[in-house]
Amino acid sequence: MTDLLTIRNLSVFAGDTPLVSNLSFSLARGERLGLIGESGSGKSLTSLAATGLLPAGLSAKGSVILAGQEVIGASDRQLNQLRGKAVAIVFQEPLTALDPLMRVGKQVAEPLRRRARRDGRKLDGKALEAEELQLLNEVALPEPQRIARAYPHELSGGQRQRVAIAMALACRPDLLIADEPTTALDVTTQAEILGLLDRLVRERHMALLFISHDLPVVATTVDRVVVLRQGEAVEAGAVADVFSAPRHDYTRSLLAAARSFDRALEGQS
């Protein structure tokens, strides 16, 4: 199986301070991998480094091969050819990904036009509108015509996240990175979004890099996990093996905390 994403000895620095250290893992087409750990463990920084989106002031060393292209040191032009087609990201809070001053339909239209240009097609007018509505319908948004005319603030959190997923899928990426995509949602909406992601990843045979600190969610979403602590991988393996027989003290502490939280919730119900 050919790897779609190969990360070798990745380190991310703020000046001389390492935030991620010597991280290595790979992800093949159709595979699902989870990055887990506490806030600040380097999960999101890893995803940003993998897509060449590190903010100003941070730098990366090592190697990130995405769809056969080295990301570290690549030009913006080279990276723009990868984004959308090879990889797309769904962030934790969709309001950060959506333009508050633009109607949802127009925002979905932009990546659709980009895919059409990539494929040598011209897409506008009624044909563009039809693809917008089809995509909104694919992510199970009710009344897609109404949603397309709405502004982000007029939608619920779950609806905004579905729009963000639609935008990420518009260019039909090979790899979808979901960075804490359900943290800001209530439990019912969270389950709906997770079910949606599961269906779309399966139907499109995409690879999934799922980033979360919610271990029960990770257990039902991915096949393999990498456990990060202070920017370093302390354990990796099949999710069933790591969660049933963790080898590292940090992993055991994460699992114990998750179980305690579940017991506390059960006591309140």
Side-chain angles (χ1 to χ4, degrees):
M1 190 178 294
T2 304
D3 288 336
L4 178 62
L5 174 66
T6 303
I7 292 179
R8 291 288 178 265
N9 301 317
L10 172 66
S11 295
V12 178
F13 298 88
D16 295 326
T17 303
L19 304 178
V20 174
S21 301
N22 297 316
L23 179 62
S24 298
F25 64 84
S26 61
L27 186 59
R29 295 178 187 276
E31 281 194 315
R32 302 181 182 202
L33 176 68
L35 290 182
I36 63 175
E38 298 172 302
S39 296
S41 60
K43 305 185 301 296
S44 295
L45 282 179
T46 298
S47 71
L48 294 175
T51 52
L53 291 172
L54 284 173
L58 300 186
S59 61
K61 293 182 179 179
S63 176
V64 175
I65 305 294
L66 175 62
Q69 168 72 52
E70 175 61 64
V71 171
I72 296 178
S75 66
D76 286 339
R77 181 178 179 180
Q78 290 171 315
L79 292 173
N80 284 335
Q81 292 176 346
L82 290 174
R83 295 170 188 150
K85 179 180 180 181
V87 63
I89 302 181
V90 178
F91 293 101
Q92 174 177 338
E93 175 46 70
L95 280 178
T96 63
L98 301 178
D99 186 333
L101 302 179
M102 185 183 294
R103 295 184 191 275
V104 163
K106 289 188 176 182
Q107 298 192 56
V108 173
E110 289 306 312
L112 285 172
R113 284 197 189 96
R114 180 177 178 181
R115 188 184 80 196
R117 288 196 298 269
R118 185 189 76 199
D119 296 341
R121 296 186 295 127
K122 183 178 180 181
L123 186 62
D124 54 22
K126 292 294 184 181
L128 176 59
E129 183 181 358
E131 291 204 20
E132 289 173 26
L133 297 179
Q134 180 182 347
L135 193 54
L136 294 176
N137 186 64
E138 189 174 1
V139 296
L141 276 163
E143 303 177 84
Q145 288 181 319
R146 178 185 64 83
I147 296 292
R149 292 193 298 269
Y151 290 95
H153 72 271
E154 297 176 315
L155 305 179
S156 69
Q159 289 173 332
R160 287 194 294 266
Q161 192 61 289
R162 288 173 188 269
V163 171
I165 293 170
M167 292 174 63
L169 296 180
C171 288
R172 297 193 174 274
D174 297 316
L175 168 62
L176 182 65
I177 299 177
D179 189 354
E180 301 273 12
T182 61
T183 298
L185 306 175
D186 62 73
V187 174
T188 300
T189 307
Q190 179 185 85
E192 293 173 353
I193 294 296
L194 290 172
L196 173 66
L197 285 173
D198 176 74
R199 174 176 63 81
L200 294 170
V201 167
R202 183 177 63 255
E203 290 177 352
R204 296 192 175 199
H205 196 59
M206 292 184 290
L208 175 66
L209 181 60
F210 191 85
I211 297 170
S212 181
H213 65 275
D214 191 328
L215 272 60
V217 167
V218 171
T220 61
T221 305
V222 303
D223 305 310
R224 295 187 294 121
V225 291
V226 175
V227 184
L228 295 182
R229 178 177 181 268
Q230 296 179 355
E232 297 183 359
V234 298
E235 189 161 354
V239 66
D241 295 337
V242 172
F243 283 14
S244 63
R247 299 186 304 274
H248 196 279
D249 287 342
Y250 177 69
T251 310
R252 286 193 283 269
S253 70
L254 289 178
L255 290 166
R259 293 183 186 117
S260 295
F261 183 69
D262 286 345
R263 286 195 295 269
L265 289 179
E266 290 172 1
Q268 295 175 1
S269 62

